[in-house]
């Protein structure tokens, strides 16, 4: 019996020869865990990359596509602001405007008649008389409105509703009075009904809706 044979084991169970039996090393759990983590990371990155490619070729995720559709339709945030009416600065009322009426025509008494009618329409009347020499008989149109630059988009527009065809000019005067210089083409003021409509449109302009292109640009 070989000296490698344990006691009691003989016969066909004898261990003979010069080679020792080999025992396997226990599995390394650390390597297994690292392998699982690495595999999971690889598949995760592959899935993320695939999702990015899908988003690029399909125009984005559902949320992105919904936002793009709303933007295209003009329903984006701020579109309501673009549709809001931008009103100009409030214009003064006729009672807040003082008008000086000057006659630059050969017809006498025209300044007084016009001033009285303007007063009946609510304007305040200042000086009334003949135009100065540099304007007398030199105004060929209906009339000229003279006033400070600050009154160009306010008081002068209000007064212009009462006499169509007037030319507005500014000077360096002090104060807010407006001069109405009647020209040779003047005959009478605009009929009150028409003047009132023009004044109403000036003080309360209709709403203006933006064009479709403007709505899309606002997004």
């Amino acid at each position: 019996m070989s000296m490698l044979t344990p006691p009691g084991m003989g016969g066909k169970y004898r261990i003979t020869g010069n080679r020792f039996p080999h025992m396997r090393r226990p599995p390394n759990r650390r390597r297994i865990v690292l392998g699982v983590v690495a595999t999971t990371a690889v598949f995760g990155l592959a899935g993320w990359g695939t999702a990015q490619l899908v988003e690029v070729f399909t125009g984005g995720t559902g949320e992105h596509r919904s936002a793009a559709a709303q933007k295209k339709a003009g329903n984006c945030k701020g579109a309501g602001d673009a549709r809001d009416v931008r009103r100009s600065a409030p214009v003064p009322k006729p009672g807040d405007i003082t008008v000086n009426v000057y006659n630059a025509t050969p017809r006498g008494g025209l300044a007084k008649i016009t001033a009285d009618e303007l007063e009946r329409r609510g304007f305040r009347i200042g000086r009334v008389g003949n135009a100065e020499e540099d304007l007398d008989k030199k105004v060929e149109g209906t009339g000229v409105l003279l006033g400070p630059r600050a009154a160009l988009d306010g008081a002068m527009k209000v007064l212009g509703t009462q006499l169509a065809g007037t030319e507005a000019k500014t000077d360096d005067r002090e104060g807010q009075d407006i001069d109405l210089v009647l020209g040779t083409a003047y005959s009478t003021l605009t009929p009150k009904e028409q003047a009132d409509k023009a004044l109403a449109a000036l003080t309360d302009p209709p709403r203006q809706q933006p064009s479709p292109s403007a709505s899309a640009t606002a997004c």
Side-chain angles (χ1 to χ4, degrees):
M1 181 171 54
S2 173
M3 60 185 302
L4 296 177
T5 302
M9 295 185 64
K12 63 179 181 179
Y13 295 105
R14 288 182 306 169
I15 300 177
T16 59
N18 297 324
R19 301 180 64 183
F20 293 93
H22 294 280
M23 304 293 292
R24 291 185 178 180
R25 297 179 61 184
N28 194 325
R29 293 184 177 180
R30 183 178 181 183
R31 290 185 179 180
I32 295 175
V33 172
L34 291 177
V36 172
V37 172
T39 302
T40 304
V42 170
F43 280 105
L45 289 175
W48 179 82
T50 302
Q52 294 297 315
L53 289 175
V54 170
E55 181 176 349
V56 168
F57 287 103
T58 60
T61 61
E63 181 179 355
H64 292 168
R65 288 195 297 269
S66 178
Q70 290 183 359
K71 181 177 180 180
K72 184 177 181 180
N75 294 329
C76 61
K77 184 177 181 181
D81 297 336
R83 289 192 295 269
D84 289 344
V85 178
R86 294 183 178 180
R87 295 181 180 275
S88 58
V91 296
K93 298 178 180 180
D96 299 328
I97 302 172
T98 299
V99 184
N100 302 317
V101 184
Y102 299 108
N103 183 11
T105 74
R107 293 168 286 170
L110 199 58
K112 180 67 168 63
I113 296 173
T114 303
D116 291 343
E117 180 60 26
L118 287 175
E119 188 173 22
R120 284 191 290 268
R121 297 186 182 189
F123 290 87
R124 292 189 297 180
I125 303 301
R127 298 178 181 178
V128 178
N130 293 325
E132 296 182 358
E133 184 177 355
D134 58 337
L135 291 175
D136 190 25
K137 312 217 180 23
K138 297 177 181 179
V139 179
E140 298 180 357
T142 302
V144 174
L145 302 179
L146 296 175
R149 184 175 298 275
L152 188 60
D153 292 329
M156 296 176 75
K157 282 190 174 181
V158 173
L159 182 57
T161 61
Q162 310 301 308
L163 180 57
T166 54
E167 180 182 3
K169 296 182 178 181
T170 61
D171 53 22
D172 298 329
R173 71 179 62 193
E174 296 180 358
Q176 299 298 318
D177 291 4
I178 306 298
D179 293 346
L180 170 58
V181 183
L182 304 176
T184 55
Y186 172 77
S187 58
T188 184
L189 293 175
T190 300
K192 188 175 184 306
E193 183 178 355
Q194 298 180 17
D196 289 345
K197 289 181 179 180
L199 183 58
L202 182 65
T203 57
D204 188 16
R207 291 181 175 270
Q208 298 178 353
Q209 296 296 337
S211 63
S213 59
S215 299
T217 304
C219 297

